[in-house]
């Protein structure tokens, strides 16, 4: 009996020391906050429009461009190498494909993102230069969240937007992963094998919390964007006066007919807020 107790205690201690489990614990409150944002609840109800999804892709492009460029640049770093799976997980090419499908070949000239998205990208660039091992927190949060919720979210998006095919939904597909559950087990194992000093581990845990906070800020910024845009569109319709520019949280956006069309209720980086909770 004592031997069994010691074995159980050892197993519990090992689990508690796993980086993946520690991240879950320290981000628990952030999970709840993000899940209950107005924008996240809207997505969970399946209220996704084509215009909303376009804006989602714009922010995802900015974030993944920074994340994947920093992961590639630091792919030989001991804190990054074990969790570097570009063939299986890379999202940037898929996002570019979706953006071209919806916006056309000149999509780069048409995308717009809020200031919070810029701050998120800036943070990824910063840690890529200064603390590459912190990238593991963002990679785990993003990729495993996408992988966990990808199939379900893809179906919700397709149905909500009335798409007859899966064109425009490449972001949700992971052709390099045959079994999401088995791959997530492999990823956690690789992640838990990363050798970190106590100071570095604490830094990664703090960065995981920061990752969720950055996403929540994006949710809030986009909600403001939606509210201001809707009010201006209403005023424009009532008074027949065109609105030339829109400034929100430091971001100035030209309200051309195309951009006015895409400014709807944002999905709030749904894959982070839905997928990661299933990790």
């Amino acid at each position: 009996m004592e031997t069994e107790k010691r074995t159980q205690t050892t197993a519990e201690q090992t689990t508690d020391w796993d980086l993946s489990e520690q991240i879950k614990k320290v981000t628990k409150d952030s999970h709840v906050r993000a899940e209950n944002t107005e924008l996240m609840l809207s997505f969970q109800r399946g209220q996704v429009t084509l215009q909303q999804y376009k804006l989602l892709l714009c922010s995802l492009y900015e974030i993944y461009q920074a994340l994947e460029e920093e992961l590639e640049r630091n792919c030989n770093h001991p804190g990054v190498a074990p969790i570097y799976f570009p063939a299986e997980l890379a999202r940037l090419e898929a996002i570019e494909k979706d953006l071209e499908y919806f916006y056309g070949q000149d999509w780069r000239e048409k995308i717009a993102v809020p200031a919070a998205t810029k701050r998120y990208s800036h943070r990824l660039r910063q840690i890529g230069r200064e603390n590459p091992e912190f990238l593991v927190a963002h990679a785990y949060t993003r990729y495993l969240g996408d992988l966990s919720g990808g199939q379900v979210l893809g179906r919700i998006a397709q149905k909500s937007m009335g798409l007859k095919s899966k064109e425009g939904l490449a972001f949700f597909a992971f052709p390099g992963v045959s079994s999401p559950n088995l791959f997530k087990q492999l990823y956690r194992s690789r992640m838990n094998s990363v050798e970190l000093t106590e100071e570095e581990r604490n830094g990664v845990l703090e960065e995981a919390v920061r990752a969720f906070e950055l996403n929540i800020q994006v949710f809030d910024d986009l909600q403001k964007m939606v509210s201001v845009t809707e009010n201006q569109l209403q005023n424009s319709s009532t008074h027949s006066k065109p609105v030339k520019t829109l400034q929100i949280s430091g971001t100035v956006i030209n309200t051309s007919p195309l951009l006015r069309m895409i400014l709807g209720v944002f999905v709030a980086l749904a894959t982070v807020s839905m997928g990661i909770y299933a990790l």
Side-chain angles (χ1 to χ4, degrees), residues 83-279:
I83 52 90
Y84 185 57
F85 291 92
E88 293 83 0
L89 297 177
R91 298 288 83 202
L92 191 59
E93 185 176 340
I95 297 171
E96 291 177 344
K97 182 178 179 180
D98 289 341
L99 286 169
E100 183 173 348
Y101 175 77
F102 288 118
Y103 288 103
Q105 293 185 350
D106 59 343
W107 60 269
R108 295 178 190 275
E109 301 174 7
K110 300 175 181 177
I111 62 174
V113 298
T117 301
K118 295 289 186 181
R119 289 195 297 270
Y120 194 170
S121 298
H122 175 76
R123 179 57 183 174
L124 290 168
R125 301 289 189 188
Q126 181 183 18
I127 63 175
R129 295 190 304 269
E130 301 174 2
N131 303 96
E133 66 276 6
F134 289 3
L135 289 169
V136 68
H138 292 275
Y140 174 71
T141 300
R142 284 255 33 122
Y143 288 127
L144 264 66
D146 298 336
L147 195 57
S148 295
Q151 298 300 313
V152 174
L153 294 172
R155 288 194 294 270
I156 290 176
Q158 184 177 10
K159 182 177 180 180
S160 299
M161 295 185 293
L163 298 178
K164 296 181 179 180
S165 70
K166 292 187 178 180
E167 288 188 280
L169 300 172
F171 173 75
F172 296 113
F174 287 82
V177 179
S178 57
S179 172
N181 287 334
L182 290 178
F183 185 83
K184 285 189 290 184
Q185 291 177 18
L186 170 64
Y187 194 93
R188 293 190 194 97
S189 176
R190 290 286 193 89
M191 180 178 171
N192 294 333
S193 73
V194 174
E195 295 185 3
L196 299 168
T197 65
E198 182 176 357
E199 181 179 359
E200 290 172 337
R201 179 175 289 261
N202 290 336
V204 170
L205 295 178
E206 291 176 1
E207 194 63 30
V209 175
R210 185 192 295 266
F212 274 90
E213 292 303 316
L214 287 168
N215 279 288
I216 291 172
Q217 289 173 21
V218 170
F219 302 164
D220 292 340
D221 231 17
L222 288 166
Q223 182 59 51
K224 294 175 184 177
M225 177 185 291
V226 169
S227 299
V228 173
T229 303
E230 289 179 345
N231 290 336
Q232 292 195 349
L233 287 175
Q234 289 177 0
N235 292 335
S236 177
S237 176
T238 301
H239 302 290
S240 299
K241 293 182 180 179
V243 180
K244 295 182 179 180
T245 60
L246 172 64
Q247 184 169 1
I248 302 168
S249 300
T251 300
V252 178
I253 303 173
N254 291 326
T255 54
S256 64
L258 176 62
L259 290 182
R260 287 201 300 270
M261 178 185 71
I262 70 169
L263 292 175
V265 180
F266 181 58
V267 185
L269 298 179
T271 49
V272 172
S273 299
M274 287 188 70
I276 191 65
Y277 309 124
L279 295 182

Side-chain angles (χ1 to χ4, degrees), residues 13-29:
Q13 290 174 343
T14 300
T15 300
D16 289 343
W17 185 245
D18 285 349
L19 185 59
S20 59
E21 291 299 319
Q22 289 184 321
I23 287 180
K24 279 186 179 181
K25 290 182 179 180
V26 300
T27 59
K28 184 177 180 179
D29 291 341

Side-chain angles (χ1 to χ4, degrees), residues 35 59 68-69 204:
E35 281 182 319
S59 281
E68 294 184 356
E69 287 180 358
V204 170

